[in-house]
Amino acid sequence: DLTYASFPVLAGHFLNDGILTGEKVIDNLMNNTLSARHVLGIYPGDIGTSAAMTSNTEENDFPGTIIVGLGEPGTLTGYLLTQTVEQAVSKYLLDMNNQPDSGKELGISALIIGCGYGGLSIEGSVKAIIEGVNNANSKISDLYKSAIRLIQRIEFIELYEDRALNCMYALKKIESRENRQFNIRIGNKKLKVLFGSRKRLAIDATENWWHRFTIKSKKIAANSKEIPALVFGVSTGGAREEEKELYSSTTLINLFIEQISTEDSWSPCSAKTLFDLMIPNGFKERLKRKGSINWILEKETAAYPWELLQDNTSNAEPLCVNAGMIRQLSTKDYRINIKRVAGDRALIIADPELNGFVSQLGGAKKEGEIVSQLLQSNSFERRTLINKSAAEIVQGLFCDDYKIIHLAGHGFFNPDEPQRSGMVIGNEIFLTAFDIEQLNTVPELVFINCCHLGKIDATHEKYYANKYKLAANLGTQLIQMGVKAVIAAGWAVNDSAAHDFASEFYTNMFAGASFGDAVKDARGVVYKKYNNQNNTWGAYQCYGDPFYKLENRTTARPAGARQYVMAEEVMIDLENLRNALDAKNYTSKVTLDIIKNIKDAVKAADIDDAVIAEIEALIYYELGEYTLSVEAFDELRNVENAKFSVSSLEKYCNARCKKYVEDCKSEKDAPELINKMRSIIGELEALSAIKKTAERTNLMGSAYKRIGFLSIKPADKLKAYNDAAAAYSQAFENNGDRYAFKNMVLMQCVYDYGVSGTGKTVMHDIKAKKAIIDTLLEQKKSLNPQYRNLDYWEFIEEACIDFLLLMLDKKEGKNDDNWKALEKKYKRIWKKAGSKGKTKAEIENFDIVENALSISKDKHAEFLKNKVSELRDNLKKFI
């Protein structure tokens, strides 16, 4: 996950592209700074352009980003990537050398730029980035002729393990064979694993290709005799952009389009005719390859129905059914400041009350009801306005903010009177793109179906004839105002087919599908169900980012129904889910829903594998769902010939101890539960007889401290805490385990406060206490997780040491600012890392410390108890 990059993230951006994939993640981490620059037209695109942005504030410690321009898609080469990286890093170094030296070495965390869509190999990308950084270092060094700061480290960061592995192989090859040119040393010979990393089967390793076709209308001067033409551009995947002009009569094309867009019928012959008329011969073969297509259109070319194209008349399907097809708008007219909706709220307007102006539409009414029900079942707040007056509709539109707006009814297009182009919401009253433009908050998704079948009178027929232009008009206006995804029907649609399209589309979006995939599936369902009965599947013009998803980072919904063939697929999905928990990518509810979804698919596929049950139990453990975790471990333990790791046996012991603490509802429950914990200590001793490890001895210490927590008598509590300190001490003596040392100190501390006054305690020995404090300070100095695998307990170690120092040093412990700083540190870490189970364990530890201090008669112990209680309560509210 890019959240954990060590340095500013180096990412690339193609000219006229949207903020997609990795850039989109960076944008979210930087409070939409990238989107703001993109909208203002000051975003990198051409080779050599760049922007360095930081967000390292008290609330956000993401190290920032350097975005480099990659030029037109299809033109990128290794040489050009080197050039653009060199110029970007040079500018960055100039800026950094004009700032006070922070003492930290400079580095960048680079994505493997230009792979897949950019057409470069992983090795080609890595070489170009290294060479670009080397060149920048060299030029800045020559310029300053003195001691200056240069880029010392490059961290290549990648989401998927297989690509990261390929990157490592490429680096090793460079280091061993070509290092005269590149001059690198691989600082860590292993992959560094961060929170949120993912695995995938080789079958999933292919990129989701969206082939870009750019269509512009040729600008012809007034009174010129030039032939009107459409200019087509296509990315070749090589080092050039092919461009051709189509000199077919645009008048002929327009006449043909108007004819077929007013008929609710379809024929392969019509589709083939359109294909031959609208596509230059040199580009036809590229379209026939059936890859997903991303049309980059201007306002003028957006009016053409690209969705209707079909390359053959026999045994063929339309291109938009065979593959994904999404439109993007190429325009410089954008709303400058885009205010997004935070909540999940939707507005449905269907079949407004028209007072006889034109006929009411029963199909539109039913569509509104279907969509409203789908939104309700997916926990969306919604305002449903069906058969309502124009006044009620306008008030409903502007009195609240909406993430989704769905419109179903009549639509008119009058090029001579733009104010009479839009959705009819009353007698001579229209909801136009200009009205929607007045919304203060921009919706993310707008679905406009203003082309239901209905009786049309002769007076208004001419306005229906150009409805495909209305769809283009509304679609382009909405994209300009910042809507992320727009669907607009271009002509009259069959009611039943329209209902199926809307239902399938929303179902897929709510299941976690991307916009491009949801549209493709909806078109496919309608095409197959209605075959050649109507052309509704092609009526919908869909604008936006093909990778846009309805869910956001923290409220993601579970993916739709899964299908599995082999156990390895299930294990990868579960491991990816488990890895996502420390990165806080899913809520507990969503995680549990995903597990249920996976288990249903496993059952349907008749897959039986004990390793699947083991990972499931570990996920429950990470969620702090200890009852579910113990049940899953019990089920695994009872499987004949089950295979599972010894680590899982250790987690099983710890999960039961944690569960027993939760099970204790009153003092009457305590004795039985304490006996169960002692049995678990016996199991850990049996494991230790095989091999005594720090982990097993630490777990014994954890069991003892929970026994102390549940014990009623002060003497029993003290004995348990003393036993816990002894167990942690053994773990520390075995291999110098720092986790064991900190827990040993904590247990010794609470024990000593409990027996204060005897004069025989470690913490009251000034020399012993000073030695412990010195050791903790040395440990704090040596913390450097930057070049190691991310581990939550290492991530939080500094905060744990600070807590211990406040417990040990009376002067520091009495300073309220120190406790506030500690609270802030915990919150800052928990904002970006730590599964629910881990944060829950920290809260439980504060509970144990508070409970232990409560038996002491020492005044400072009482003060500490109150501070620990306050800290715990504030952190509980935070999580």
Side-chain angles (χ1 to χ4, degrees), residues 598-613:
I598 290 173
K599 289 177 74 174
D600 289 344
V602 168
K603 187 176 179 181
D606 196 23
I607 295 172
D608 185 17
D609 193 300
V611 179
I612 294 172

Side-chain angles (χ1 to χ4, degrees), residues 529-683:
K529 184 172 181 179
Y530 298 92
N531 205 0
N532 291 335
Q533 297 172 33
N534 59 66
N535 57 13
T536 296
W537 51 266
Y540 295 101
Q541 299 176 9
C542 303
Y543 294 85
D545 172 6
F547 303 106
Y548 162 70
K549 292 188 177 183
L550 195 55
E551 76 275 338
N552 61 42
R553 183 175 165 86
T554 55
T555 61
R557 293 176 173 79
R562 288 169 162 81
Q563 291 184 335
Y564 294 118
V565 176
M566 55 198 293
E568 283 79 0
E569 295 175 276
V570 187
M571 285 187 275
I572 285 173
D573 275 359
L574 286 171
E575 281 290 4
N576 287 343
L577 178 60
R578 183 183 171 200
N579 290 341
L581 297 181
D582 270 325
K584 296 185 171 295
N585 287 343
Y586 298 109
T587 63
S588 293
K589 182 182 181 304
V590 168
T591 305
L592 293 173
D593 287 344
I594 292 173
I595 293 174
K596 181 182 181 302
N597 188 302
I598 290 173
K599 289 177 74 174
D600 289 344
V602 168
K603 187 176 179 181
D606 196 23
I607 295 172
D608 185 17
D609 193 300
V611 179
I612 294 172
E614 180 182 2
I615 301 172
E616 180 191 341
L618 293 172
I619 291 174
Y620 291 140
Y621 182 88
E622 285 296 326
L623 287 175
E625 298 285 347
Y626 302 122
T627 299
L628 290 174
S629 183
V630 170
E631 287 173 358
F633 277 127
D634 282 336
E635 187 180 330
L636 176 62
R637 191 181 60 166
N638 292 327
V639 173
E640 192 74 26
N641 299 321
K643 296 178 183 177
F644 46 84
S645 65
V646 177
S647 173
S648 287
L649 280 177
E650 295 167 350
K651 286 284 196 301
Y652 177 48
C653 291
N654 207 26
R656 281 180 290 159
C657 284
K658 291 172 179 282
K659 177 181 180 297
Y660 297 151
V661 171
E662 292 183 342
D663 288 347
C664 190
K665 306 302 180 188
S666 68
E667 290 184 1
K668 292 179 181 178
D669 301 330
E672 182 186 354
L673 295 171
I674 288 171
N675 286 334
K676 288 182 177 181
M677 287 193 196
R678 293 194 183 281
S679 296
I680 291 171
I681 292 172
E683 293 175 29

